Amino acid sequence: MPDDASAARARQRTGTGIGLLLVLVLAAALLIALPDDDSPDDDGACAARTVGSWRADDGLTAEFARYGDDASRDDDWTGGDGTHSLRLPDGRVLWLFSDTYLGRVHRPPNPHGESYAWRDTTAPLVRNSAVLMRDGRLQSTLPAPLFADPAPNQWRWPVAARVEPRSPGSSEQVVRVLLWVRTAGPSPWIYGVPTATEVATLSLPELRLESVVKVLDQQLVPDPSRRVLFGTTLVEEDGWTYVYGGDDGQAASRPASHAYVARVPEGGLADPAAWRYWTGSAWVPGARPRPVLGDGQRKGVGSAFSVVRDAGTYVLFTMATGTKGLTTVASYWACSPEGPWHGPAKEFSPSLPEGQVAAYNPQTHPVLSGDGRLVLSYDVNWLETTGAAAQLSRNVSLYRPRFVTVRLAPAG
């Protein structure tokens, strides 16, 4: 596998705009966390949890391959990363993606004589997209990009989303989508300088974009490596939405990203005044958040991770530390949203296609889970130092989510 500097040079040469991979890969190489302490908290409300078993979810992976290979339209999804899901009130599942290839997929063989489905290297690449699923079958792509660029040389990546009341106590529901805003910048900010967290509101059932509100502007934070973007994952609990995020400390040759958490009362995601940030001892509006995971040493999270609640325990999934961060998923656990976080617990390495590829962005999908099963996706991208964009078109199956089913168990 190439080192982080090689991967960065590859991103500069490809010019594809697929920056999320590098955010995650750079973070995965040097992850950090709080000191080891695997004992349950004193309140007795939760117990240590870890991955008991896992297996590939070939059916769900194949469904995205089927939809991506469908050549009946030129303006729909053929590959993407940043995979998040949300069940809508009418039963549909909304899938949100960051950088996305559109265009037409051609049957194999490709122009190199290989048995891969392929797309033209001129196929459109947009910064975000949304795909609808019903009854386990992907049906359509919303007009892409769904979220227009906020300004020249800026773009929006959608992350986690939820259905909530239009305002606290309202009977009308809307979809809120967290957005990361990044601005083009010089090295080391080859994937964009962290700029702001926004919340978009989509109508139901039409999914029409109504508004975009900036909830946390980071442009006045002078050190870009200390800017925090929220929304990599959400957890709903007792009338609150807990919103997790991270900084980009690794981009400035610091050890790695830190994890942070905020909370918002139900119905308040699009109201900046409703946000409360964890300061290390309290939830405070307008405060500079303090890390809940990260001590500048050797363990912790990457820039994109996922948190779920299993019984009384919060479980966090991220890529593992060191060189395993390109292939291996690790987990941590806590008894409250703000921690303290314990681990890492048991790791596992899902399957990857052949070649210079990496896994990143492990995301849980509770809307597809149940009966003790937890569905988790991971994204895949090419890491060769040259020709990454060409490789993704040469073999369209590379740049698509893959899925596993995980069962959690008590940590021994």
Side-chain angles (χ1 to χ4, degrees):
M1 289 284 181
D3 59 19
D4 291 344
S6 297
R9 290 193 296 271
R11 170 64 178 82
Q12 287 176 298
R13 281 190 287 269
T14 63
T16 63
I18 305 168
L20 182 58
L21 169 67
L22 294 180
V23 178
L24 305 172
V25 169
L26 287 169
L30 287 168
L31 297 174
I32 54 179
L34 297 173
D36 286 338
D37 178 5
D38 290 337
S39 58
D41 289 353
D42 293 336
D43 60 13
C46 79
R49 302 289 283 172
T50 188
V51 175
S53 63
W54 68 275
R55 63 174 178 82
D57 190 329
D58 295 330
L60 195 50
T61 299
E63 175 58 18
F64 277 86
R66 179 203 66 80
Y67 184 76
D69 289 346
D70 185 345
S72 60
R73 289 175 51 185
D74 290 334
D75 61 348
D76 66 350
W77 184 96
T78 62
D81 69 354
T83 311
H84 289 81
S85 64
L86 174 69
R87 186 171 297 281
L88 304 176
D90 61 9
R92 294 175 298 169
V93 175
L94 176 68
W95 291 90
L96 294 165
F97 294 92
S98 296
D99 290 344
T100 300
Y101 279 107
L102 304 177
R104 185 179 295 273
V105 168
H106 306 284
R107 294 181 178 179
N110 65 16
H112 299 272
E114 299 165 325
S115 58
Y116 301 137
W118 58 284
R119 69 171 74 84
D120 294 328
T121 56
T122 58
L125 179 77
V126 296
R127 286 299 188 179
N128 57 75
S129 68
V131 182
L132 287 169
M133 171 184 278
R134 184 181 290 277
D135 299 328
R137 188 172 178 84
L138 296 166
Q139 293 185 327
S140 62
T141 301
L142 298 182
L146 181 59
F147 308 104
D149 293 346
N153 297 315
Q154 290 188 348
W155 60 88
R156 290 172 166 131
W157 281 337
V159 278
R162 71 159 297 186
V163 174
E164 70 168 12
R166 180 176 290 279
S167 59
S170 172
S171 60
E172 183 183 3
Q173 291 184 310
V174 293
V175 174
R176 310 286 195 197
V177 181
L178 276 292
L179 303 173
W180 288 351
V181 178
R182 291 184 176 269
T183 302
S187 180
W189 305 102
I190 54 179
Y191 46 82
V193 178
T195 303
T197 300
E198 297 178 332
V199 176
T201 297
L202 304 179
S203 65
L204 283 170
E206 301 89 354
L207 298 175
R208 177 177 54 86
L209 178 60
E210 295 185 349
S211 63
V212 177
V213 175
K214 187 179 296 183
V215 296
L216 184 64
D217 192 343
Q218 294 288 274
Q219 294 181 88
L220 296 181
V221 178
D223 181 357
S225 67
R226 295 184 181 275
R227 297 179 179 182
V228 182
L229 299 184
F230 281 92
T232 182
T233 187
L234 305 177
V235 177
E236 301 168 27
E237 187 67 29
D238 295 333
W240 294 95
T241 300
Y242 292 90
V243 188
Y244 291 85
D247 60 30
D248 280 1
Q250 77 286 347
S253 300
R254 294 168 58 198
S257 299
H258 294 74
Y260 302 80
V261 64
R263 72 178 187 179
V264 186
E266 186 177 26
L269 274 174
D271 179 7
W275 284 60
R276 302 290 185 268
Y277 301 94
W278 180 250
T279 65
S281 59
W283 301 96
V284 180
R288 171 69 185 177
R290 295 289 301 274
V292 297
L293 196 58
D295 66 355
Q297 296 180 13
R298 57 190 178 87
K299 294 189 292 184
V301 302
S303 295
F305 55 92
S306 189
V307 178
V308 295
R309 194 164 192 233
D310 182 64
T313 304
Y314 295 85
V315 182
L316 182 153
F317 292 91
T318 185
M319 299 310 294
T321 60
T323 57
K324 292 188 297 182
L326 301 178
T327 61
T328 303
V329 177
S331 64
Y332 295 79
W333 64 273
C335 292
S336 67
E338 69 273 18
W341 289 92
H342 312 285
K346 182 180 178 181
E347 301 173 346
F348 68 96
S349 297
S351 62
L352 288 171
E354 295 181 358
Q356 297 290 336
V357 298
Y360 58 106
N361 187 36
Q363 288 293 324
T364 56
H365 301 278
V367 300
L368 301 178
S369 305
D371 298 325
R373 303 177 302 104
L374 180 63
V375 174
L376 182 144
S377 67
Y378 57 101
D379 296 327
V380 174
N381 209 327
W382 189 262
L383 281 183
E384 258 188 1
T385 56
T386 58
Q391 289 290 346
L392 298 183
S393 294
R394 180 173 176 168
N395 178 3
V396 297
S397 70
L398 294 176
Y399 193 55
R400 290 171 178 169
R402 287 160 170 78
F403 295 85
V404 297
T405 296
V406 173
R407 290 188 180 273
L408 297 174

